[in-house]
DNA sequence: TATAACATGTAACTAGTTACATGATTGG
DNA sequence: CCAATCATGTAACTAGTTACATGTTATA
């Protein structure tokens, strides 16, 4: 499904594989990410399928690069995907919950230490949503007032991340409390 | 990582691939699931690696079955995995957020309709956490009082699901409100 | 008599990860 | 001179999905 992330970004601007990676790292990273290698592979497949086209670009003081652009066929595919409503919840895999599910045999202090470390990580993540993310959104929003609806969508996904981290921390506090009292 | 789910369940009891599928569907389904075909494939690989052993069992009025048991080597692998603390957050892929991120070009009513449908789905899921899940946990907990710590872990994962759905619904209400007012 | 539950598997495919491989330019 | 950034790719692998293939027994 990286396919749609790439089409979505190319729908704004032409970009190289390298730039797409950077863009994703700065915007969709908390709900969609990809390795550089997968991006190049997927771009190749998209071009073979006619959803994007590319041309090499020579640069003076930097390595040459290959710039990708979305085609009409690519735009059509993207629109079709966006228009298709979600009719069932996609099940969500959480390795940490799987681990916890089977952790009844661990020692009390081992468990508490692990959960407290995890809490610290989620607090850091929450900070990121409150500082870094809004900057990225404002920066892109002000440069083009026609993007105000897009900015609303971006802000909504950022807000999800924030609420998710808050919920996660609340849950950890509850779980830590339960283990401290009854384990 | 299905590997560890299977080892975890076999650590309680010997089971067939069919039973493992049922058990997962009834317990870990909201944070870890697998298709029947993947379960059979993974069991084969686990046996080749010496982490489980199996033997066929003849049955009178039902098809024969193959029962799997965890080995010492399998228990060691499971313990090693449980003991290894989480030191970084695993990035979480959410297709819905990816879609929303690029949905600024959709019509207002289309978007609102899709989000309201999604809200209904999450409300249904929340109901499941409040009704079905506790039954499963109590049922297994009362049959063996030595499992009380395990039951705590199971309840904790159920509670995560509940809090997650509540957060999701709150976020949807906020997002729907924002779109209704400013889109 | 039909359908749900029991029961096991293989083949082909899609998605994503890890490791390898190369090389230029800029800034400290 | 060393690290970071720019820039692109391939090969091998792991994880998971979809489709196919088969057959029995209990129950409504």
């Amino acid at each position: 499904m990286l396919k749609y992330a790439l089409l979505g970004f190319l729908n704004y601007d032409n970009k190289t594989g390298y730039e797409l990676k950077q863009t994703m790292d700065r915007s969709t990273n908390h709900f969609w990410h990809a390795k550089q290698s997968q991006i190049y592979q997927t771009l190749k497949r998209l071009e073979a399928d006619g959803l994007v086209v590319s041309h090499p670009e020579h640069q003076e003081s930097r390595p040459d690069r290959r710039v990708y652009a979305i085609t009409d066929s690519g735009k059509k595919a993207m629109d079709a995907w966006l228009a298709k409503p979600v009719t069932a919840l996609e099940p969500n895999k959480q390795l940490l919950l799987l681990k916890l599910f089977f952790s009844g045999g661990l020692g009390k202090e081992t468990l508490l230490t692990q959960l407290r470390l995890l809490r610290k990580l989620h607090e850091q993540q929450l900070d990121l949503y409150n500082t870094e993310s809004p900057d990225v959104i404002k920066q892109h929003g002000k440069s083009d007032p026609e993007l105000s609806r897009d900015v609303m969508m971006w802000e909504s996904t950022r807000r999800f991340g924030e609420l998710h981290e808050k919920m996660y921390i609340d849950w950890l506090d509850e779980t830590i409390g339960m283990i401290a009292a009854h384990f």
Side-chain angles (χ1 to χ4, degrees), chain A:
Chain A
M1 300 299 108
L2 172 59
K3 170 181 171 175
Y4 294 110
L6 300 180
L7 289 175
F9 285 119
L10 292 176
N11 207 20
Y12 288 117
D13 274 313
N14 296 349
K15 279 190 171 54
T16 66
Y18 190 83
E19 287 169 336
L20 283 162
K21 168 65 172 158
Q22 285 179 30
T23 304
M24 287 185 72
D25 284 350
R26 286 193 219 111
S27 57
T28 64
N29 203 45
H30 70 283
F31 54 88
W32 210 271
H33 65 95
K35 309 280 172 177
Q36 191 72 70
S37 64
Q38 197 200 350
I39 291 174
Y40 287 126
Q41 284 165 12
T42 305
L43 284 171
K44 247 187 186 178
R45 215 192 57 224
L46 287 173
E47 185 155 35
D49 293 346
L51 304 183
V52 302
V53 284
S54 74
H55 61 272
E57 220 178 69
H58 179 66
Q59 298 194 114
E60 281 314 314
S61 59
R62 277 171 203 292
D64 292 357
R65 47 195 233 144
R66 177 165 289 273
V67 180
Y68 285 85
I70 193 167
T71 63
D72 283 347
S73 174
K75 283 179 192 183
K76 227 176 272 177
M78 187 69 190
D79 287 346
W81 179 65
L82 289 176
K84 197 175 59 189
V86 173
T87 54
L89 302 185
E90 8 142 30
N92 199 338
K93 291 192 177 181
Q94 302 244 22
L95 203 52
L96 181 103
L97 293 184
L98 184 65
K99 210 171 199 176
L100 191 67
F101 188 88
F102 291 116
S103 291
L106 250 55
K108 181 172 176 173
E109 284 312 317
T110 309
L111 244 180
L112 287 174
T113 304
Q114 289 189 9
L115 293 173
R116 283 177 190 135
L117 166 62
L118 190 65
R119 194 191 189 282
K120 216 163 276 177
L121 294 172
H122 281 282
E123 250 171 18
Q124 286 165 14
Q125 190 59 46
L126 181 56
D127 280 347
L128 282 184
Y129 287 126
N130 289 324
T131 56
E132 269 190 29
S133 300
D135 289 348
V136 174
I137 290 168
K138 279 174 203 151
Q139 198 185 311
H140 286 80
K142 72 179 174 194
S143 62
D144 187 349
E146 284 196 12
L147 290 178
S148 72
R149 289 183 170 189
D150 299 80
V151 172
M152 253 185 260
M153 298 298 101
W154 304 344
E155 166 60 15
S156 173
T157 63
R158 185 205 65 80
R159 178 68 173 149
F160 183 94
E162 189 189 343
L163 289 175
H164 181 261
E165 292 306 323
K166 281 181 177 162
M167 179 280 290
Y168 213 118
I169 290 168
D170 286 347
W171 170 75
L172 279 170
D173 285 340
E174 216 183 276
T175 301
I176 287 167
M178 179 183 72
I179 292 169
H182 306 297
F183 200 75

